[in-house]
Amino acid sequence: MSYDFIDLFAGIGGMRLAFEPYGRCVFSCEWDTKAQETYEKNFGDKPVGDIKKIDEKAVPGHDILLAGFPCQPFSLAGVSKKKSLGKEHGFLDETQGTLFFDIARILKEKQPQAFLLENVKNLRTHDKGKTFNKIMKVLEEELGYTVYAKVLNAKGLVPQRRERIYIVGFKKPIKFNFPDIPENGPAIISILQKNVDPKYTLSDKLWEYLKSYKEKHSKKGNGFGYGLADLDSFSRTLSARYHKDGSEILIPQKGRNPRKLTPRECARLQGFPDSFEIPVSNTAAYKQFGNSVPVPVVKKVAEQIIHALERNETIQTDIDIKKNAVVD
């Protein structure tokens, strides 16, 4: 069976890569123009822009909604006013003004069979857990989905410690199991290029600065500072700020200062195939891969979502449904 899906907060299409074996993307949305450029180069269609300007009724019908949405503080503006007027307010009202609300209104209008949301691990604890609880209540109580959530670490599939929360929902109360991610995976040396341009090697000035910065914070008992990668292990998490100095993942070099990863190595670190084209500047590419999803992890989750839809094995009791807790 083939499934139509939409790709919200699409970035450069990491989620789309994972789901394309199971169907076709019928709509994509991404506001960043440089990310749109990379997306169009690789998939042949340009995502529409600001999701807040999109009429949910105009979104094509689809079976699965995908969204790696940014986590913003939830705005409670207007709730106090409604209470003072004695009006009831739903959780959807509480999330207006946040980007999650845009996902919720599309889910409400289109009622897809399933969805996959991805976010930073700290979404669980943001605002003492209130943000995550509101999201779950919107998805379960307001929209009627059976929801599963789990933090998965990508380091068993790519050579990078990258913990992210994955939230999976189904319109029907069907059983779902997250994939088992191996504890140990490939080493960072496996993604390195040979004969790297010297421009990626840190200047003496920058290297001395990073060393003194780390030493200063070490004396204060802080762990801030650069990270020199163990080539036989995994790296720290690649972030969107990597373009600034590359300090979180530096590659040691014999007889020379360490170097930054190249954009292609960052693509590999996130599990993108070498056939994935990088048409933008290095600065833009570093931001894009730092903001992206680890593709092999999403592929594993996608496979489980499709299996669950096709098995269509329903949960029998409310007690079973409530067991869908976040698991570390």
Side-chain angles (χ1 to χ4, degrees), residues 128-145:
K128 299 180 180 179
K130 292 178 183 177
T131 298
F132 183 74
N133 288 338
K134 284 173 188 170
I135 286 173
M136 293 295 283
K137 286 177 179 176
V138 167
L139 296 172
E140 293 177 331
E141 297 180 18
E142 293 277 325
L143 300 177
Y145 281 85

Side-chain angles (χ1 to χ4, degrees), residues 210-311:
L210 291 176
K211 285 192 291 186
S212 62
Y213 181 84
K214 185 168 187 173
E215 183 180 1
K216 180 177 70 175
H217 281 283
S218 293
K219 289 178 180 178
K220 295 180 180 179
N222 298 326
F224 302 135
Y226 67 86
L228 204 58
D230 176 352
L231 300 188
D232 295 320
S233 185
F234 54 87
S235 73
R236 291 183 179 181
T237 302
L238 180 69
S239 73
R241 71 165 300 282
Y242 191 77
H243 70 96
K244 293 183 178 180
D245 54 27
S247 61
E248 64 256 43
I249 307 172
L250 294 175
I251 303 303
Q253 302 184 105
K254 289 183 179 180
R256 286 186 289 172
N257 295 343
R259 68 170 178 87
K260 296 168 64 174
L261 294 168
T262 67
R264 176 57 63 193
E265 289 168 339
C266 289
R268 292 174 177 176
L269 197 63
Q270 290 282 46
F272 282 80
D274 282 354
S275 59
F276 191 87
E277 297 189 52
I278 308 173
V280 294
S281 68
N282 282 4
T283 296
Y286 284 134
K287 290 180 181 178
Q288 290 171 11
F289 289 114
N291 279 327
S292 188
V293 293
V295 178
V297 176
V298 183
K299 282 184 175 181
K300 292 281 189 183
V301 177
E303 183 179 7
Q304 291 298 98
I305 289 173
I306 300 304
H307 284 172
L309 287 172
E310 295 187 347
R311 282 195 309 266

Side-chain angles (χ1 to χ4, degrees), residues 183-209:
E183 181 65 26
N184 299 307
I188 196 168
I189 196 171
S190 68
I191 59 102
L192 298 184
Q193 293 177 287
K194 296 178 180 178
N195 304 317
V196 172
D197 192 310
K199 70 180 182 180
Y200 295 102
T201 296
L202 300 189
S203 66
D204 290 341
K205 184 178 180 180
L206 178 55
W207 181 223
E208 288 303 318
Y209 168 76

Side-chain angles (χ1 to χ4, degrees), residues 94-145:
E94 289 190 31
T95 63
Q96 288 192 43
T98 72
L99 294 172
F100 173 72
F101 170 74
D102 296 293
I103 297 171
R105 63 185 175 86
I106 293 171
L107 284 172
K108 184 176 182 180
E109 174 66 29
K110 296 299 177 179
Q111 303 281 310
Q113 294 183 55
F115 63 75
L116 169 61
L117 312 181
E118 181 265 357
N119 210 294
V120 295
K121 176 185 177 181
N122 290 342
L123 177 66
R124 296 180 312 159
T125 54
H126 179 264
D127 194 16
K128 299 180 180 179
K130 292 178 183 177
T131 298
F132 183 74
N133 288 338
K134 284 173 188 170
I135 286 173
M136 293 295 283
K137 286 177 179 176
V138 167
L139 296 172
E140 293 177 331
E141 297 180 18
E142 293 277 325
L143 300 177
Y145 281 85

Side-chain angles (χ1 to χ4, degrees), residues 17 36 43 53 64-65 87 99 123 181 266 305 324:
L17 275 178
Q36 287 178 345
F43 298 107
K53 297 178 181 178
I64 304 171
L65 178 148
K87 293 183 178 180
L99 294 172
L123 177 66
I181 307 298
C266 289
I305 289 173
N324 306 333

Side-chain angles (χ1 to χ4, degrees), residues 2-3 5 7 13-25 39 42-45 66 299 302:
S2 181
Y3 297 87
F5 62 90
D7 196 9
M15 282 194 170
R16 177 168 176 165
L17 275 178
F19 276 83
E20 279 196 326
Y22 305 107
R24 64 185 181 120
C25 182
Y39 195 101
N42 285 280
F43 298 107
D45 54 82
L66 311 176
K299 282 184 175 181

